[in-house]
Amino acid sequence: MFLALKELKHAKQKFALIISVVVLVSYLVYFLTALAYGLASSYTNAVNKWDSESLIMTVDANDNLMMSFMTETDYNNTTVNGDKAKLGLFPAVIKNPQAVENIDTRLNIYLFGIENNSFIKPKDSNETLIDNKVIVSDELKKNGYQIGDMIAISGSDLELEIMGFSEKATYQTAPVIYMALSTWQSHRFSTNTPPDLFSGLIIRGDISNIKGELATYTIDEYILTLPGYTAQVLTFTIMIVFLIIIVAFVLGIFVYVLTIQKTSIFGVMKAQGVSNGYIAGSVIIQTLFLVAIGIITGLILTEITALFLSDIVPLARNILFYIIITFAFFLFALFGGLFSVSAVLKIDPLKAIGG
Amino acid sequence: MKKILIEMKNVTKDFLQGENVIRALKPTNFIAYEGEMIGIVGPSGSGKSTFLTILGGLQKPTTGQVLLDGKPFSELPVKEKSKVRLKEIGFILQASNLIPFLTVKEQLVLYNKIMRSKGNKDWMDELFEKLGVEKLKDKYPNELSGGERQRSAIAKALYHNPNVVFADEPTASLDTNKAFEVVKLLAKETKEQKKATIMVTHDERMLDFCDKVYVIVDGTLSERVN
């Protein structure tokens, strides 16, 4: 400890350079993590809000919930040990009817058709969904929508009235609009006498029996089928893992070179009887210290950035991920430091004594 | 009766060079008593460093034995030897044994840290004073002159109160006056603190301060009698 810290203090500039590399990379890693988690959440927020175990759709839909048509018979034939809720799902483009003509207010959203008494209705708004009265994602507040405002749907005469807002209501990165299932059916099938069809069943609890050509997904399985979700999460994960490994190598190489430079000093220390353990421990402590300063600074920078950018990019902080990544940084840096430990072990004290 | 601090008994050292066995050190007996300053001279390649490294436990003798303070030393396992060295032997080396990123005082404090002891501050100050480096204790080695560096190195070598001090060409980088000053100090401390100091040197002028002088030629150690 003493030796490691005194050297850091003495050669501040040299170590500042190394630390700055760690700072930059750890900043990038923490930022990417927040971004990856934010993006992933914006895919799944509305799904996670259901707080349910599984989802049922038709086999013919081929994982695509929007192309699934389930009937009242399917609903009745599905028995569960818990609760079940009908969901109608369809994308739409909305516009602000009050906006000035030449301003583009078009926005991609998802329409969730639900029943008023179902457990998947947002808890943060008590409004009854009927006719054109809807609850919308609070993301729409960023676009200037307020309670009582009207929303126009492209390619339809339907205008919706905002009754309430719901937090964390995004699906595949787009805001969700919750409407009555009957309204959803009229819009989906473009008729005032629509068939009584819906997209899927959300199940809370266990399924005891289902009949017909239906496919069951756990919620986690379903999330993985969302277009682009797996590819995106995988890409981010690979980037983050590689960056952590790169930091380990960069640190490992730096510390190794510094250790090699100190061969004669360590040789003399060994000749004097200082144990390998003390010298190697000092090298390892130094490595971990560099990592610690670097990643704490990186983390602080990430938090500062998040303060300014969280309205523009979907950043979401997750303490658990931060802890795992911090732990991984230390673990890999330790591996990097082990190169130097092996170098210390090889130093021959005999060479310290000429003759 | 003077105490024997370090002793070599019938030590030899063989090296393998290709298929030939080279005897670097012929059967050697050597004794250093407390308060003795011993000079070792000899041409390069004569076996000086082999002698010193075997005495210091950095190499194992092929035959024979080294006793430190009457206890077997050369037969100990490597780790044990390191521990004994740390406590019983002080080193002063040619390029000085100082660590470049520690101040003079910190060089000594490092020993406390390694030994996990509080150390003896009075003794540290006393040493600094004796060696005339009390004003330099907060300086780094590169801020010191060659003589100041070697005086600090002596302070470091003596701080943990070793029985034996090895000095390997301690005056190599010094001019005559500085060299005399350093060796004189070393000889004085050897007497006062009842150490045995073994100094390997090229510089014949330094031998005036030694109680005994040994010469190594082709692996044979013999005492030079004036």
Side-chain angles (χ1 to χ4, degrees):
Chain A
M1 193 79 158
F2 179 76
L3 197 63
L5 297 187
K6 287 293 173 191
E7 191 187 3
L8 286 178
K9 197 182 139 211
H10 186 64
K12 284 189 206 81
Q13 279 174 326
K14 189 162 66 179
F15 288 107
L17 280 175
I18 302 172
I19 289 173
S20 63
V21 173
V22 183
V23 168
L24 289 174
V25 181
S26 68
Y27 177 33
L28 183 59
V29 167
Y30 285 119
F31 188 79
L32 279 180
T33 309
L35 187 64
Y37 182 62
L39 271 176
S41 305
S42 69
Y43 260 79
T44 59
N45 272 335
V47 174
N48 290 329
K49 255 168 97 99
W50 295 336
D51 189 20
S52 57
E53 273 71 45
S54 46
L55 182 149
I56 297 171
M57 68 174 98
T58 61
V59 171
D60 284 341
N62 190 30
D63 294 348
N64 184 349
L65 189 56
M66 286 173 279
M67 287 295 113
S68 164
F69 302 103
M70 287 177 74
T71 63
E72 192 64 22
T73 320
D74 290 331
Y75 178 79
N76 291 330
N77 283 342
T78 304
T79 49
V80 295
N81 191 6
D83 207 350
K84 54 186 175 178
K86 293 177 190 171
L87 173 75
L89 175 70
F90 209 63
V93 176
I94 59 166
K95 287 187 290 194
N96 189 341
Q98 279 100 32
V100 187
E101 195 64 28
N102 57 358
I103 294 179
D104 185 7
T105 60
R106 277 174 293 199
L107 199 63
N108 291 316
I109 56 99
Y110 282 90
L111 297 174
F112 276 23
I114 58 176
E115 291 176 315
N116 270 303
N117 55 356
S118 82
F119 68 86
I120 61 174
K121 191 184 165 205
K123 302 283 174 292
D124 42 2
S125 184
N126 293 322
E127 306 296 331
T128 307
L129 300 171
I130 186 165
D131 297 334
N132 69 338
K133 301 197 185 318
V134 295
I135 297 170
V136 302
S137 163
D138 64 356
E139 291 283 309
L140 291 187
K141 285 182 183 168
K142 289 182 196 162
N143 299 81
Y145 289 101
Q146 292 171 347
I147 288 182
D149 282 359
M150 301 303 285
I151 300 173
I153 295 185
S154 295
S156 160
D157 296 333
L158 187 63
E159 282 209 356
L160 306 171
E161 186 187 349
I162 299 175
M163 303 302 292
F165 286 99
S166 177
E167 278 183 359
K168 292 192 174 178
T170 53
Y171 179 76
Q172 291 202 44
T173 73
V176 168
I177 294 181
Y178 297 93
M179 54 173 40
L181 186 58
S182 54
T183 316
W184 181 86
Q185 285 165 340
S186 306
H187 171 71
R188 172 73 178 89
F189 302 108
S190 302
T191 162
N192 287 331
T193 52
D196 189 10
L197 295 174
F198 53 91
S199 308
L201 273 178
I202 315 301
I203 310 296
R204 187 180 276 176
D206 303 322
I207 301 166
S208 12
N209 195 24
I210 58 171
K211 249 188 227 165
E213 293 282 287
L214 298 178
T216 308
Y217 303 76
T218 66
I219 291 298
D220 290 339
E221 283 167 359
Y222 177 65
I223 286 171
L224 292 180
T225 70
L226 295 178
Y229 178 84
T230 310
Q232 177 198 299
V233 169
L234 196 65
T235 309
F236 273 115
T237 311
I238 288 174
M239 279 200 282
I240 290 164
V241 169
F242 268 71
L243 280 170
I244 292 174
I245 294 173
I246 288 169
V247 168
F249 269 92
V250 170
L251 259 182
I253 292 165
F254 270 128
V255 174
Y256 183 74
V257 169
L258 292 179
T259 305
I260 296 296
Q261 282 180 342
K262 282 180 283 191
T263 302
S264 65
I265 300 170
F266 288 158
V268 169
M269 287 178 71
K270 278 186 165 187
Q272 288 168 331
V274 179
S275 67
N276 277 325
Y278 187 85
I279 299 173
S282 169
V283 169
I284 290 291
I285 284 172
Q286 215 169 50
T287 310
L288 295 182
F289 201 78
L290 295 175
V291 178
I293 298 180
I295 62 179
I296 288 169
T297 316
L299 199 54
I300 292 170
L301 285 177
T302 308
E303 290 297 299
I304 293 172
T305 314
L307 279 182
F308 291 105
L309 281 187
S310 54
D311 277 353
I312 305 164
V313 278
L315 292 178
R317 269 77 50 76
N318 181 313
I319 298 291
L320 181 68
F321 287 167
Y322 279 180
I323 291 172
I324 292 172
I325 283 172
T326 307
F327 183 72
F329 265 125
F330 277 109
L331 192 71
F332 277 89
L334 205 60
F335 279 126
L338 289 181
F339 284 110
S340 303
V341 170
S342 78
V344 168
L345 296 181
K346 279 186 204 138
I347 295 171
D348 187 356
L350 256 183
K351 299 233 167 69
I353 301 200
Chain B
M1 181 67 193
K2 276 205 255 172
K3 205 171 149 196
I4 297 174
L5 291 184
I6 192 161
E7 184 176 10
M8 236 185 196
K9 277 185 177 166
N10 294 319
V11 164
T12 64
K13 182 69 182 174
D14 296 339
F15 289 112
L16 264 181
Q17 202 169 59
E19 286 179 5
N20 303 323
V21 177
I22 310 276
R23 178 146 282 195
L25 202 60
K26 307 232 165 75
T28 303
N29 288 295
F30 172 84
I31 289 177
Y33 293 95
E34 60 181 15
E36 261 185 353
M37 174 96 172
I38 297 171
I40 311 275
V41 288
S44 35
S46 57
K48 279 199 314 268
S49 64
T50 308
F51 171 74
L52 199 63
T53 48
I54 289 175
L55 208 54
L58 295 167
Q59 285 197 88
K60 254 196 145 115
T62 307
T63 59
Q65 164 179 61
V66 177
L67 298 170
L68 191 62
D69 205 8
K71 284 172 278 222
F73 177 51
S74 52
E75 293 99 326
L76 294 175
V78 175
K79 266 197 169 174
E80 290 300 311
K81 267 195 279 202
S82 285
K83 276 187 193 162
V84 172
R85 248 190 346 259
L86 196 57
K87 282 193 192 137
E88 304 288 342
I89 301 177
F91 284 90
I92 303 162
L93 304 178
Q94 182 174 343
S96 98
N97 54 350
L98 301 177
I99 295 165
F101 48 83
L102 297 181
T103 63
V104 172
K105 190 180 164 192
E106 285 165 356
Q107 311 276 347
L108 276 62
V109 174
L110 175 65
Y111 185 82
N112 298 341
K113 300 283 177 186
I114 291 170
M115 299 306 285
R116 295 172 196 283
S117 78
K118 280 197 175 148
N120 185 341
K121 197 167 173 310
D122 294 341
W123 169 232
M124 193 189 286
D125 290 337
E126 194 186 326
L127 261 180
F128 285 151
E129 205 178 314
K130 278 176 183 230
L131 293 159
V133 292
E134 70 270 31
K135 291 203 175 87
L136 308 170
K137 60 185 182 188
D138 292 321
K139 295 203 177 218
Y140 289 98
N142 63 357
E143 297 168 327
L144 304 177
S145 71
E148 290 168 342
R149 233 181 310 218
Q150 288 305 55
R151 292 204 311 261
S152 306
I154 295 174
K156 183 182 184 179
L158 294 177
Y159 175 60
H160 59 288
N161 241 324
N163 277 318
V164 182
V165 174
F166 288 136
D168 183 20
E169 304 276 3
T171 58
S173 53
L174 305 180
D175 64 40
T176 312
N177 282 338
K178 290 273 167 56
F180 275 136
E181 184 190 19
V182 165
V183 175
K184 224 158 105 184
L185 265 173
L186 188 58
K188 183 173 149 257
E189 293 308 318
T190 303
K191 296 270 169 318
E192 277 186 21
Q193 298 178 36
K194 298 193 169 170
K195 314 283 180 213
T197 296
I198 295 146
M199 178 175 69
V200 168
T201 184
H202 271 103
D203 196 340
E204 294 273 336
R205 293 166 304 177
M206 299 305 141
L207 301 177
D208 296 344
F209 297 97
C210 296
D211 302 306
K212 284 180 193 162
V213 175
Y214 288 85
V215 187
I216 298 188
V217 179
D218 294 333
T220 307
L221 184 83
S222 50
E223 190 171 350
R224 185 199 274 177
V225 186
N226 287 335

mmCIF file with all atom_site columns, all heavy atoms in Angstrom, chain B residues 192-204:
data_model
loop_
_atom_site.group_PDB
_atom_site.id
_atom_site.type_symbol
_atom_site.label_atom_id
_atom_site.label_alt_id
_atom_site.label_comp_id
_atom_site.label_asym_id
_atom_site.label_entity_id
_atom_site.label_seq_id
_atom_site.pdbx_PDB_ins_code
_atom_site.Cartn_x
_atom_site.Cartn_y
_atom_site.Cartn_z
_atom_site.occupancy
_atom_site.B_iso_or_equiv
_atom_site.pdbx_formal_charge
_atom_site.auth_seq_id
_atom_site.auth_comp_id
_atom_site.auth_asym_id
_atom_site.auth_atom_id
_atom_site.pdbx_PDB_model_num
ATOM 1   N N   . GLU B 1 192 ? 30.995 1.150   16.117  1.00 0.00 ? 192 GLU B N   1
ATOM 2   C CA  . GLU B 1 192 ? 30.097 1.612   17.174  1.00 0.00 ? 192 GLU B CA  1
ATOM 3   C C   . GLU B 1 192 ? 28.940 0.656   17.415  1.00 0.00 ? 192 GLU B C   1
ATOM 4   O O   . GLU B 1 192 ? 28.536 0.399   18.544  1.00 0.00 ? 192 GLU B O   1
ATOM 5   C CB  . GLU B 1 192 ? 29.524 2.987   16.802  1.00 0.00 ? 192 GLU B CB  1
ATOM 6   C CG  . GLU B 1 192 ? 30.461 4.130   17.163  1.00 0.00 ? 192 GLU B CG  1
ATOM 7   C CD  . GLU B 1 192 ? 29.808 5.486   16.920  1.00 0.00 ? 192 GLU B CD  1
ATOM 8   O OE1 . GLU B 1 192 ? 28.559 5.541   16.871  1.00 0.00 ? 192 GLU B OE1 1
ATOM 9   O OE2 . GLU B 1 192 ? 30.563 6.448   16.780  1.00 0.00 ? 192 GLU B OE2 1
ATOM 10  N N   . GLN B 1 193 ? 28.412 0.155   16.334  1.00 0.00 ? 193 GLN B N   1
ATOM 11  C CA  . GLN B 1 193 ? 27.201 -0.662  16.477  1.00 0.00 ? 193 GLN B CA  1
ATOM 12  C C   . GLN B 1 193 ? 27.496 -2.152  16.454  1.00 0.00 ? 193 GLN B C   1
ATOM 13  O O   . GLN B 1 193 ? 26.586 -2.983  16.422  1.00 0.00 ? 193 GLN B O   1
ATOM 14  C CB  . GLN B 1 193 ? 26.202 -0.296  15.365  1.00 0.00 ? 193 GLN B CB  1
ATOM 15  C CG  . GLN B 1 193 ? 25.744 1.152   15.450  1.00 0.00 ? 193 GLN B CG  1
ATOM 16  C CD  . GLN B 1 193 ? 24.801 1.496   14.319  1.00 0.00 ? 193 GLN B CD  1
ATOM 17  O OE1 . GLN B 1 193 ? 23.995 0.673   13.912  1.00 0.00 ? 193 GLN B OE1 1
ATOM 18  N NE2 . GLN B 1 193 ? 24.902 2.702   13.811  1.00 0.00 ? 193 GLN B NE2 1
ATOM 19  N N   . LYS B 1 194 ? 28.774 -2.476  16.453  1.00 0.00 ? 194 LYS B N   1
ATOM 20  C CA  . LYS B 1 194 ? 29.212 -3.878  16.502  1.00 0.00 ? 194 LYS B CA  1
ATOM 21  C C   . LYS B 1 194 ? 28.598 -4.723  15.398  1.00 0.00 ? 194 LYS B C   1
ATOM 22  O O   . LYS B 1 194 ? 28.049 -5.804  15.633  1.00 0.00 ? 194 LYS B O   1
ATOM 23  C CB  . LYS B 1 194 ? 28.908 -4.476  17.878  1.00 0.00 ? 194 LYS B CB  1
ATOM 24  C CG  . LYS B 1 194 ? 29.658 -3.759  18.969  1.00 0.00 ? 194 LYS B CG  1
ATOM 25  C CD  . LYS B 1 194 ? 29.621 -4.507  20.259  1.00 0.00 ? 194 LYS B CD  1
ATOM 26  C CE  . LYS B 1 194 ? 30.605 -3.875  21.245  1.00 0.00 ? 194 LYS B CE  1
ATOM 27  N NZ  . LYS B 1 194 ? 30.481 -4.388  22.573  1.00 0.00 ? 194 LYS B NZ  1
ATOM 28  N N   . LYS B 1 195 ? 28.680 -4.199  14.185  1.00 0.00 ? 195 LYS B N   1
ATOM 29  C CA  . LYS B 1 195 ? 28.246 -4.960  13.020  1.00 0.00 ? 195 LYS B CA  1
ATOM 30  C C   . LYS B 1 195 ? 29.465 -5.646  12.410  1.00 0.00 ? 195 LYS B C   1
ATOM 31  O O   . LYS B 1 195 ? 30.601 -5.324  12.763  1.00 0.00 ? 195 LYS B O   1
ATOM 32  C CB  . LYS B 1 195 ? 27.662 -4.029  11.941  1.00 0.00 ? 195 LYS B CB  1
ATOM 33  C CG  . LYS B 1 195 ? 26.707 -3.009  12.435  1.00 0.00 ? 195 LYS B CG  1
ATOM 34  C CD  . LYS B 1 195 ? 25.382 -3.650  12.699  1.00 0.00 ? 195 LYS B CD  1
ATOM 35  C CE  . LYS B 1 195 ? 24.398 -2.613  13.210  1.00 0.00 ? 195 LYS B CE  1
ATOM 36  N NZ  . LYS B 1 195 ? 23.453 -3.209  14.158  1.00 0.00 ? 195 LYS B NZ  1
ATOM 37  N N   . ALA B 1 196 ? 29.213 -6.537  11.451  1.00 0.00 ? 196 ALA B N   1
ATOM 38  C CA  . ALA B 1 196 ? 30.286 -6.991  10.581  1.00 0.00 ? 196 ALA B CA  1
ATOM 39  C C   . ALA B 1 196 ? 29.962 -6.448  9.197   1.00 0.00 ? 196 ALA B C   1
ATOM 40  O O   . ALA B 1 196 ? 28.877 -6.689  8.674   1.00 0.00 ? 196 ALA B O   1
ATOM 41  C CB  . ALA B 1 196 ? 30.343 -8.507  10.542  1.00 0.00 ? 196 ALA B CB  1
ATOM 42  N N   . THR B 1 197 ? 30.888 -5.650  8.645   1.00 0.00 ? 197 THR B N   1
ATOM 43  C CA  . THR B 1 197 ? 30.630 -5.086  7.318   1.00 0.00 ? 197 THR B CA  1
ATOM 44  C C   . THR B 1 197 ? 31.572 -5.723  6.316   1.00 0.00 ? 197 THR B C   1
ATOM 45  O O   . THR B 1 197 ? 32.786 -5.795  6.546   1.00 0.00 ? 197 THR B O   1
ATOM 46  C CB  . THR B 1 197 ? 30.830 -3.566  7.339   1.00 0.00 ? 197 THR B CB  1
ATOM 47  O OG1 . THR B 1 197 ? 29.860 -3.001  8.215   1.00 0.00 ? 197 THR B OG1 1
ATOM 48  C CG2 . THR B 1 197 ? 30.644 -2.972  5.940   1.00 0.00 ? 197 THR B CG2 1
ATOM 49  N N   . ILE B 1 198 ? 31.001 -6.240  5.249   1.00 0.00 ? 198 ILE B N   1
ATOM 50  C CA  . ILE B 1 198 ? 31.813 -6.854  4.214   1.00 0.00 ? 198 ILE B CA  1
ATOM 51  C C   . ILE B 1 198 ? 31.691 -6.001  2.965   1.00 0.00 ? 198 ILE B C   1
ATOM 52  O O   . ILE B 1 198 ? 30.599 -5.853  2.420   1.00 0.00 ? 198 ILE B O   1
ATOM 53  C CB  . ILE B 1 198 ? 31.359 -8.298  3.960   1.00 0.00 ? 198 ILE B CB  1
ATOM 54  C CG1 . ILE B 1 198 ? 31.634 -9.109  5.235   1.00 0.00 ? 198 ILE B CG1 1
ATOM 55  C CG2 . ILE B 1 198 ? 32.069 -8.903  2.768   1.00 0.00 ? 198 ILE B CG2 1
ATOM 56  C CD1 . ILE B 1 198 ? 30.632 -10.166 5.489   1.00 0.00 ? 198 ILE B CD1 1
ATOM 57  N N   . MET B 1 199 ? 32.807 -5.406  2.562   1.00 0.00 ? 199 MET B N   1
ATOM 58  C CA  . MET B 1 199 ? 32.783 -4.449  1.459   1.00 0.00 ? 199 MET B CA  1
ATOM 59  C C   . MET B 1 199 ? 33.582 -4.980  0.279   1.00 0.00 ? 199 MET B C   1
ATOM 60  O O   . MET B 1 199 ? 34.772 -5.254  0.394   1.00 0.00 ? 199 MET B O   1
ATOM 61  C CB  . MET B 1 199 ? 33.350 -3.105  1.923   1.00 0.00 ? 199 MET B CB  1
ATOM 62  C CG  . MET B 1 199 ? 33.410 -2.066  0.813   1.00 0.00 ? 199 MET B CG  1
ATOM 63  S SD  . MET B 1 199 ? 33.933 -0.442  1.405   1.00 0.00 ? 199 MET B SD  1
ATOM 64  C CE  . MET B 1 199 ? 35.637 -0.744  1.816   1.00 0.00 ? 199 MET B CE  1
ATOM 65  N N   . VAL B 1 200 ? 32.890 -5.126  -0.840  1.00 0.00 ? 200 VAL B N   1
ATOM 66  C CA  . VAL B 1 200 ? 33.584 -5.500  -2.069  1.00 0.00 ? 200 VAL B CA  1
ATOM 67  C C   . VAL B 1 200 ? 33.950 -4.208  -2.777  1.00 0.00 ? 200 VAL B C   1
ATOM 68  O O   . VAL B 1 200 ? 33.118 -3.311  -2.910  1.00 0.00 ? 200 VAL B O   1
ATOM 69  C CB  . VAL B 1 200 ? 32.666 -6.341  -2.977  1.00 0.00 ? 200 VAL B CB  1
ATOM 70  C CG1 . VAL B 1 200 ? 33.265 -6.483  -4.367  1.00 0.00 ? 200 VAL B CG1 1
ATOM 71  C CG2 . VAL B 1 200 ? 32.422 -7.702  -2.355  1.00 0.00 ? 200 VAL B CG2 1
ATOM 72  N N   . THR B 1 201 ? 35.213 -4.076  -3.187  1.00 0.00 ? 201 THR B N   1
ATOM 73  C CA  . THR B 1 201 ? 35.599 -2.822  -3.835  1.00 0.00 ? 201 THR B CA  1
ATOM 74  C C   . THR B 1 201 ? 36.718 -3.029  -4.851  1.00 0.00 ? 201 THR B C   1
ATOM 75  O O   . THR B 1 201 ? 37.486 -3.982  -4.780  1.00 0.00 ? 201 THR B O   1
ATOM 76  C CB  . THR B 1 201 ? 36.009 -1.767  -2.790  1.00 0.00 ? 201 THR B CB  1
ATOM 77  O OG1 . THR B 1 201 ? 36.288 -0.555  -3.463  1.00 0.00 ? 201 THR B OG1 1
ATOM 78  C CG2 . THR B 1 201 ? 37.217 -2.209  -1.991  1.00 0.00 ? 201 THR B CG2 1
ATOM 79  N N   . HIS B 1 202 ? 36.775 -2.138  -5.808  1.00 0.00 ? 202 HIS B N   1
ATOM 80  C CA  . HIS B 1 202 ? 37.879 -2.105  -6.752  1.00 0.00 ? 202 HIS B CA  1
ATOM 81  C C   . HIS B 1 202 ? 38.949 -1.137  -6.270  1.00 0.00 ? 202 HIS B C   1
ATOM 82  O O   . HIS B 1 202 ? 40.060 -1.133  -6.737  1.00 0.00 ? 202 HIS B O   1
ATOM 83  C CB  . HIS B 1 202 ? 37.385 -1.591  -8.116  1.00 0.00 ? 202 HIS B CB  1
ATOM 84  C CG  . HIS B 1 202 ? 36.905 -2.665  -9.001  1.00 0.00 ? 202 HIS B CG  1
ATOM 85  N ND1 . HIS B 1 202 ? 35.577 -2.911  -9.215  1.00 0.00 ? 202 HIS B ND1 1
ATOM 86  C CD2 . HIS B 1 202 ? 37.582 -3.598  -9.718  1.00 0.00 ? 202 HIS B CD2 1
ATOM 87  C CE1 . HIS B 1 202 ? 35.453 -3.933  -10.041 1.00 0.00 ? 202 HIS B CE1 1
ATOM 88  N NE2 . HIS B 1 202 ? 36.652 -4.378  -10.357 1.00 0.00 ? 202 HIS B NE2 1
ATOM 89  N N   . ASP B 1 203 ? 38.506 -0.275  -5.353  1.00 0.00 ? 203 ASP B N   1
ATOM 90  C CA  . ASP B 1 203 ? 39.306 0.897   -5.013  1.00 0.00 ? 203 ASP B CA  1
ATOM 91  C C   . ASP B 1 203 ? 40.236 0.583   -3.847  1.00 0.00 ? 203 ASP B C   1
ATOM 92  O O   . ASP B 1 203 ? 39.826 0.531   -2.696  1.00 0.00 ? 203 ASP B O   1
ATOM 93  C CB  . ASP B 1 203 ? 38.331 2.032   -4.644  1.00 0.00 ? 203 ASP B CB  1
ATOM 94  C CG  . ASP B 1 203 ? 39.014 3.374   -4.647  1.00 0.00 ? 203 ASP B CG  1
ATOM 95  O OD1 . ASP B 1 203 ? 40.258 3.390   -4.555  1.00 0.00 ? 203 ASP B OD1 1
ATOM 96  O OD2 . ASP B 1 203 ? 38.303 4.383   -4.748  1.00 0.00 ? 203 ASP B OD2 1
ATOM 97  N N   . GLU B 1 204 ? 41.513 0.366   -4.155  1.00 0.00 ? 204 GLU B N   1
ATOM 98  C CA  . GLU B 1 204 ? 42.495 -0.046  -3.144  1.00 0.00 ? 204 GLU B CA  1
ATOM 99  C C   . GLU B 1 204 ? 42.610 0.971   -2.003  1.00 0.00 ? 204 GLU B C   1
ATOM 100 O O   . GLU B 1 204 ? 42.883 0.610   -0.870  1.00 0.00 ? 204 GLU B O   1
ATOM 101 C CB  . GLU B 1 204 ? 43.868 -0.212  -3.793  1.00 0.00 ? 204 GLU B CB  1
ATOM 102 C CG  . GLU B 1 204 ? 43.948 -1.361  -4.798  1.00 0.00 ? 204 GLU B CG  1
ATOM 103 C CD  . GLU B 1 204 ? 44.292 -2.693  -4.137  1.00 0.00 ? 204 GLU B CD  1
ATOM 104 O OE1 . GLU B 1 204 ? 44.894 -2.666  -3.048  1.00 0.00 ? 204 GLU B OE1 1
ATOM 105 O OE2 . GLU B 1 204 ? 43.943 -3.746  -4.704  1.00 0.00 ? 204 GLU B OE2 1
#
